[in-house]
Amino acid sequence: TPNWQWNVLAAAPAVLLLAFQATWVWPFFSDDSFISLRYAERLLDGHGLTWTEGADGLPERVEGYSNLLWVLLTAGLGALGFDLVTAARLLGAILTMAALYLLAVAQRPCDVRTTALAAVPPLLVAGAQTTMVWTLAGLEGPLLLALLAWGFAGITHAGYRSGDDATWSTARLLRLGIPFALACWTRPDAPLWALCAGAGIAAIAPRRVGFGGAIGRAFRFGLPALVAVGGQLAFRLAYYGDYVPNTAHVKAEFDPASFGPGLAYVQAALAAHPGATGLAAIGALLLFVRARPRTFVLPLLLPLFGWFTYLAAIGGDHFPGYRLLHGALAPLALLAGLGLRALGTGGIATTLAVVLGIAATGIDASWARTHPKSREARGEDWEWRDRQVGIALARAFGDRRPLLAVEAAGALPFYSRLPALDLLGLCDRTIATTPFPGWLDTMRPGIPRPPGHLRGNGAYAMDRAPDLMVFKQPLPTFVSGCEFESDPRFLDGYRCVLMDLGEREILPDRTNEIVVPLWLRVAGRVGVERRADQVVVPGYLFGSFRLPGPVIHRHQPPTGDPAFDASLAENGALTLAFLNRREPRAVPDRDGRLVLAMAAASHCTFALPLAAGRWRAAAAPPAQGVSVRLRAAGGTWQTDLRLRERAQVELELTAPPTAPATIAAVTLQRIQ
């Protein structure tokens, strides 16, 4: 008779392997994980399940997450006092270990021989690249893995007793459907698992129950999932006013052209797990040949085929570690384990099965540490760089609540705690529902088109008038940003400032010099402040860069116009020269406010329109040796400047000849 001691003993080797593998990719934590954490944080702060507030200061209700149950669980741990990043990592570890235990339980260990066999499925999961990368990465994969391990383990137990009609009683079928129902609250595409598992249950029904009886079994099994989906749909319509999560508008393309890359993704994902995939295939064949095939194979195989077809249809996924294989690991491992049990009960057969399981695990675990997708995750630390940038922006501008536009909607908005605009549309309904621009079809060959990164609406983003913008690259490169390059509101209204945070510890054992190209709206909340007879220009705007025109122009085919191509090259050279310069730069002062840092004897300028009158400029606070001069177009530099009418005025700021200087602002006072 199985008991918990044998179950624990069967799962223990996999738990040890998991600890060994998961720490290899430390400190990888996906940027998208911070989106979920921002929802959890705002929920705890009383702002509901929202990502940001709108122009009216009220929360914007947009479902930018696709893992409701995960958000609620992390918020629950946050309410207990856990840091949310720690909460997500802790949940990932606990749920993955729970999945390993459930996979061991599914094999019904009751002695040394069966315990050795039961150890194989959890070992295969623990050694998988997907598990290694995503256990501590902050997204919902471990929860989905645990729920599907629970669900398919229950189906497997029922399969052992398939000859007993009580196994398929209404109460039992409803209980079997509960983990699949919870999975539907974990991912919006999880109903596919319930649907295909129900089809498998119907397919193994004996002939005597008839077609109607088989469909009835599937319906009773799927009823909890149906209720879960209906309940969430009702909540979504009432709270967000939409039928699907906002992320579905962004990512669910279902373009026939996506099937090729999607199929390649599935093939690459399975090839990256040769041990688990190979043993699952062998197990399925052995079950067909030597065991009761209908009781095990179809409820496990049909969901796998359905899931892989779905992944091919959506074009796969761009994240490292083959994230979307996570849930599939449970039925794959169970097929492998059940197939190895079918080899026989003798000592030789058991030894062969265990050796095959250990060898397959070793292959996958070794391959996981050398695969390019794993190394990509291990080397990814830009989220922690964005953490430092977000903290710096919060200290510098938090009291002014500027609108921050970003192309990476995770760590930077999470740590800045500022109102934010997601330029890729995951957390913005207008951008998410904007049709794909026609010029996407004219993109030059070789330009990547990652799923979930093809939405944008540059005109709408400019209408929102963000005060700050931070792009993934120094210049905007995705749809909205590409359209900025030809928008006069961006070219005339924004300036780029190099925010130099110096050497910052992004991780306990790693420091980086952080210099961020920060685009600021000149007339925005962190730009020029105008009063009746006074104008205050933040020091960091001096020496800022105005983009003269398109540089990347990636969204258009070559024009064939030599003059235009030459202008692109010239604009690019000017941009590169600005990005590479060492000073002047914006740096935080002791209070975290951004000030301008200038080298000795250096000077920099800034231009703005001023009304008629006599104007005098001074650095604020006053700094010894710092001079400020003004001139109108075509005029000479002066300390006082009289304007007969509104005109464009250039300001020159000069540091002392023998010492560097930091300037918080330049104040222009109209004295007459």
Side-chain angles (χ1 to χ4, degrees):
T1 301
N3 56 55
W4 69 268
Q5 292 95 337
W6 293 115
N7 295 333
V8 170
L9 191 59
V15 172
L16 293 176
L17 178 60
L18 173 69
F20 178 70
Q21 289 290 90
T23 55
W24 188 79
V25 291
W26 184 273
F28 175 63
F29 196 86
S30 172
D31 192 65
D32 277 30
S33 304
F34 288 104
I35 297 178
S36 300
L37 297 190
R38 179 155 159 133
Y39 275 91
E41 182 178 64
R42 288 179 60 81
L43 178 63
L44 293 172
D45 289 343
H47 303 302
L49 281 169
T50 62
W51 186 73
T52 193
E53 60 259 35
D56 55 3
L58 298 176
E60 288 185 354
R61 292 190 177 185
V62 179
E63 190 178 356
Y65 57 88
S66 54
N67 48 9
L68 174 62
L69 187 55
W70 180 259
V71 171
L72 296 178
L73 288 174
T74 52
L77 286 184
L80 295 176
F82 285 90
D83 168 77
L84 287 177
V85 173
T86 302
R89 291 199 190 275
L90 183 61
L91 277 174
I94 292 173
L95 289 166
T96 303
M97 288 189 289
L100 300 179
Y101 179 80
L102 290 166
L103 291 172
V105 170
Q107 306 296 297
R108 299 166 55 87
C110 58
D111 53 32
V112 173
R113 184 187 71 82
T114 55
T115 298
L117 289 171
V120 172
L123 275 172
L124 291 173
V125 172
Q129 177 185 164
T130 302
T131 308
M132 180 181 77
V133 172
W134 289 101
T135 294
L136 302 177
L139 279 178
E140 74 286 342
L143 176 57
L144 184 65
L145 173 64
L147 291 172
L148 293 183
W150 176 16
F152 284 114
I155 293 175
T156 301
H157 275 297
Y160 277 110
R161 304 171 57 194
S162 61
D164 181 3
D165 282 345
T167 300
W168 306 109
S169 66
T170 296
R172 182 68 178 271
L173 285 166
L174 291 174
R175 288 197 299 271
L176 289 175
I178 289 174
F180 293 91
L182 294 175
C184 293
W185 287 347
T186 302
R187 283 190 60 88
D189 44 22
L192 182 62
W193 289 106
L195 177 65
C196 293
I201 288 174
I204 66 174
R207 292 182 180 179
R208 57 185 165 79
V209 305
F211 179 77
I215 296 301
R217 288 184 176 187
F219 175 78
R220 292 192 293 275
F221 166 79
L223 186 58
L226 185 62
V227 171
V229 171
Q232 188 173 8
L233 178 60
F235 166 74
R236 182 177 293 131
L237 285 171
Y239 196 77
Y240 295 113
D242 204 346
Y243 287 94
V244 296
N246 198 63
T247 53
H249 293 302
V250 175
K251 296 181 177 180
E253 301 170 36
F254 296 108
D255 184 345
S258 300
F259 190 81
L263 185 60
Y265 173 85
V266 172
Q267 292 172 337
L270 295 177
H273 301 79
T277 302
L279 273 191
I282 294 171
L285 290 174
L286 288 173
L287 289 171
F288 271 118
V289 173
R290 304 189 59 181
R292 301 187 301 270
R294 293 194 306 163
T295 60
F296 295 123
V297 177
L298 292 180
L300 297 175
L301 272 184
L302 288 182
L304 285 171
F305 285 138
W307 186 250
F308 294 149
T309 302
Y310 164 74
L311 293 185
I314 65 172
D317 185 52
H318 69 281
F319 284 94
Y322 299 105
R323 164 179 81 108
L324 295 182
L325 195 68
H326 216 147
L329 292 174
L332 279 172
L334 286 173
L335 276 175
L338 293 169
L340 292 178
R341 287 177 67 101
L343 283 174
T345 58
I348 295 178
T350 299
T351 301
L352 175 61
V354 172
V355 169
L356 284 174
I358 293 174
T361 299
I363 291 171
D364 282 0
S366 175
W367 186 236
R369 289 180 171 235
T370 58
H371 194 278
K373 284 289 186 180
S374 301
R375 293 191 172 276
E376 177 186 338
R378 192 183 193 199
E380 184 175 307
D381 62 7
W382 60 267
E383 292 89 350
W384 304 112
R385 176 181 176 274
D386 278 3
R387 172 181 178 270
Q388 291 291 348
V389 176
I391 292 171
L393 293 180
R395 295 189 67 196
F397 305 123
D399 56 337
R400 285 179 266 181
R401 307 298 293 163
L403 178 61
L404 170 66
V406 293
E407 291 178 331
L412 182 52
F414 176 75
Y415 284 106
S416 74
R417 300 175 68 93
L418 295 175
L421 172 63
D422 178 6
L423 294 174
L424 296 185
L426 287 172
C427 303
D428 187 276
R429 181 175 288 113
T430 299
I431 291 178
T433 55
T434 298
F436 294 123
W439 52 259
L440 280 177
D441 296 328
T442 67
M443 286 174 63
R444 296 187 293 277
I447 293 180
R449 298 179 58 171
H453 291 69
L454 303 179
R455 298 283 183 185
N457 190 327
Y460 160 77
M462 283 292 103
D463 289 343
R464 291 287 303 272
D467 303 290
L468 298 166
M469 291 196 283
V470 179
F471 304 119
K472 283 276 289 180
Q473 304 295 332
L475 288 173
T477 55
F478 294 108
V479 172
S480 294
C482 286
E483 294 173 351
F484 290 165
E485 285 192 332
S486 55
D487 192 320
R489 292 175 293 178
F490 177 73
L491 298 175
D492 297 335
Y494 286 81
R495 298 293 182 270
C496 186
V497 170
L498 294 180
M499 183 174 68
D500 189 345
L501 303 182
E503 288 283 342
R504 292 291 176 100
E505 186 178 65
I506 60 173
L507 296 166
D509 60 345
R510 197 178 307 173
T511 59
N512 275 6
E513 182 182 3
I514 300 178
V515 179
V516 184
L518 185 64
W519 294 86
L520 301 96
R521 185 163 67 96
V522 174
R525 295 190 179 190
V526 296
V528 175
E529 182 181 352
R530 293 180 181 270
R531 305 187 185 99
D533 290 315
Q534 189 181 72
V535 177
V536 179
V537 182
Y540 46 72
L541 282 178
F542 281 84
S544 59
F545 176 71
R546 175 187 180 276
L547 188 68
V551 175
I552 299 175
H553 210 56
R554 66 183 295 179
H555 59 291
Q556 296 291 347
T559 63
D561 181 355
F564 180 77
D565 292 342
S567 71
L568 292 181
E570 181 180 357
N571 294 340
L574 292 172
T575 304
L576 186 62
F578 170 78
L579 295 173
N580 287 334
R581 78 181 190 186
R582 301 301 302 175
E583 57 86 26
R585 289 182 174 180
V587 300
D589 65 8
R590 292 181 179 179
D591 297 323
R593 297 172 302 177
L594 285 187
V595 297
L596 183 71
M598 301 178 64
S602 64
H603 64 90
C604 52
T605 61
F606 180 74
L608 77 168
L610 290 178
R614 183 183 175 193
W615 293 90
R616 178 175 297 164
Q624 185 175 4
V626 174
S627 66
V628 186
R629 299 188 300 173
L630 307 86
R631 70 176 178 184
T636 59
W637 292 109
Q638 304 175 47
T639 54
D640 285 2
L641 180 64
R642 183 180 295 277
L643 298 176
R644 297 185 179 276
E645 58 184 14
R646 183 179 179 86
Q648 188 79 358
V649 174
E650 187 176 11
L651 285 72
E652 181 188 56
L653 189 59
T654 304
T658 58
T662 57
I663 295 92
V666 168
T667 300
L668 293 154
Q669 188 69 45
R670 184 159 53 182
I671 56 181
Q672 287 183 3

